[in-house]
Amino acid sequence: MDFSENSIVKLLNIKYPIIEGGMAWVGTAKLAAEVSNAGGLGTIGSGSMTPDILKEQIKKIKELTNKPYAVNIIMINPFIEDIINIVIEEKVPVVIMAAGNPGKYIPILKSNNIITGAVVSSENLALRLEKKGIDFIVGEGMECGGHIGDVTTMVIIPKLTSILKIPVIAAGGIADGRGMVAVFMLGASGIQMGTRFIASYECEAHENYKNKILKAGIRDSVITGIKMGHPARSIKNKFVKNINKIESESIEEAERLLIGSLKKAHIDGDNDNGSFMAGQSVGLIENIKSVKEIIEDLCSDMDYTIKNFSGVLSK
């Protein structure tokens, strides 16, 4: 399929309207470079990084690709001011912000010729950011892995596309070409995927992490943190069950146990103490592939689905 006239493809100067989700620990320069080299927009997830580590990762991705890439910045990062300065100094082409209201940073980023996007689960925040001049919005359905809102992709995307003039990217529950076609029909200009890219050869996550994705069904990613006020979706395991129990008794203890749990999953593959963040799309993922194969399969599946659309309507 020819995406040359697609709004997000033209805005980001990429081949396919496919963005890698900004995953903490998982979203390394290596994985991001592979996504960019394959025609999508790779994203360095800075959520777990100190400023020095982020700087190293940016230098690394510049060595691995000459294609556009993004840095994901979460508003709750204690080093956020330093991180904003680093992406400006390093001339990062795209910044995608999340976990809060990034409105105050949009003017300085845009004045430094950085394309800006934000992950939102609220139409009100999306409207405020559009008024601030943000370039695109990622609408995050609650099917996503990691920190989530409480509205599904099927609802948030048509709402956002009906009220915004800027491009909307769909995130949540997308792992194949059928999902890609579906969100385009809802008005999206592209997709953001995280979980599917973890199940790739190039992802540096522990093999236990990848295997858990392959073995999981559609009901095996569950939500924790509702009582703590920051719900997140992870693959069900002993640790997640424990968190759900403890947060009903002591929010402080649950928050203490969560410290370092992403690292334990990504680096150590620790099933008893790790938080394996992943979306409901785990139930759709059956194999490990290269990033290039994942993106090519998405596009060929999308073409096949569109060509056979009339047959679907007749069922």
Side-chain angles (χ1 to χ4, degrees), residues 12 18-24 26-36 40-46 49 54 57 61 68-73 94-97 119 136 192-193 197:
L12 301 178
I18 299 169
I19 297 175
E20 174 201 351
M23 301 171 285
V26 179
T28 63
K30 179 181 177 181
L31 179 59
E34 291 289 341
V35 174
S36 292
L41 184 75
T43 304
I44 296 173
S46 73
M49 298 178 185
L54 176 59
Q57 289 288 297
I61 199 170
Y69 66 92
V71 169
N72 177 273
I73 302 175
V94 183
V95 165
I96 302 174
M97 295 165 282
V119 181
F136 66 95
Q192 177 175 284
M193 292 194 313
F197 284 126

Side-chain angles (χ1 to χ4, degrees), residues 18 21 23 42 64 93 103-104 109 116 129 254 260:
I18 299 169
M23 301 171 285
L64 296 173
K104 64 180 284 190
L109 291 171
T116 57
L129 296 179

Side-chain angles (χ1 to χ4, degrees), residues 64-80:
L64 296 173
T65 186
N66 60 2
K67 304 291 186 181
Y69 66 92
V71 169
N72 177 273
I73 302 175
I74 60 171
M75 298 300 98
I76 56 175
N77 191 311
F79 307 107
I80 187 166

